[in-house]
Amino acid sequence: MVNSFDRYHLWHPYTSLTDPLPTYEVASAEGCILHLADGRELIDGMASWWCAIHGYNVPELNAAATEQLQCMSHVMFGGITHRPAIALGERLVDIMPEGLDRIFLADSGSVSVEVAMKMAVQYQHARGHGTERSKFLTLRGGYHGDTTGPMSVCDPVTGMHQLLAGFLPQHHFYDRPPGGYDKPVDPSYVSGLEQFFAEHAGHAAAFIIEPVVQGAGGMHFYSPDYLPVFRRLCDAHGLLLIYDEIATGFGRTGELFLSHHPGARPDVVCIGKALTGGYLTLAATITTAHVAETIGKGAAGVLMHGPTFMGNPLACTVAAASINLLLRKDWSAEVQHIAVQLTLHLRAAAHLPHVKDVRVLGAIGVVELHELVDVSHFQAYCVERGVWIRPFGKLIYLMPPYVITDRQLELLCGAVVNYVLASRPA
Ligand code: PMP
């Protein structure tokens, strides 16, 4: 069922308005089910791109939002504060590693990365470096968002560097760590990275990475043992270490945040996506007293960012309620259980010749093919079978809400495996 207004007038993510991919109209959602306008029901395998960790239409979050709506939906944050922002801030300080306790409330993940990058540059300026420390070091295969700063540190090949050549600032990229969560650290990789830092760190403000899981850049998993290596190199060269935990945060990988990894606390961390349990757009850039105070002593004295919807009370209220809900239950057991189920069901695809890899970490299951997946064909196949999965590139992946049932997960995995079996080259 194609809605013609939508087809001609509304852009969807990464699509053409002249030749758009099909869209499916969702009328409502509850638990892990998306109800289509034509009456069909789909089991959600995407958690709306990592966000809806508690599923949809969650009574606790509905109640928090409704109560806050009676009070105020929004009020400016310039010169004004409010209980929802303070309560969320207190909660974030509780769940972040000690010392990460200075919070900038941003309105989307991309904006929180912009803010992190500005923090790093302002920090270096305040330390007496002029413009010579305004570059960023980062890893190939990363994804940090679609606004200018984040795009400039997305993978230079799969990101938008070619398309927007001349527009994006140039930064320095090094290979990502070899794949494998359990793989020991590769000394030759580390010496290459040391060399890279030696060459470029003198011009750089920070090293920005997605810890352990590179998401939209390729669903690449690497060992957390690289994080202390990153920390050591940043310390040795006077760079800030920025973790983009927008996708990995709130338990998705099995850790609440990878920022807790011993010996590898970042100076700045960005969180978003699941922050409001998928209800509203909100993100945060969180740093240390040292960084905040250094910026405060700089020439500007202030952090130069202040979006209109900063600290939106409705979003802050729902975020605090979502964190409370997450921490009240045994989220870690839920995520580990999903990991076991994903491993069990997806392994049927692993031996196929056109499958490059099947990997699972926490509540993320990935089937990587050798060839590109035909998105509209794949989605039509899934919708016919009552599941919702959005592939990209050569990757079919699942990251369901944590409240998914075993049966729902089995059906999601079954659709993936059967599609892969059916698309086996002759
Ligand atoms: N960083 C990472 C790691 C992400 O996965 C995303 C979103 N896919 C972003 C940043 C950007 O967040 P947003 O889409 O909310 O701007």
Side-chain angles (χ1 to χ4, degrees), residues 398-412:
L398 296 171
M399 41 197 194
Y402 302 164
V403 293
I404 194 98
T405 65
D406 286 1
R407 178 68 188 142
Q408 288 171 328
L409 202 49
E410 197 182 333
L411 290 168
L412 281 165

Side-chain angles (χ1 to χ4, degrees), residues 50 108-111 113 143-145 210 216 244 246-247 273:
W50 317 74
S108 73
S110 300
V111 172
V113 174
Y143 175 82
H144 299 284
E210 294 156 273
D244 176 346
I246 291 163
K273 286 193 182 282

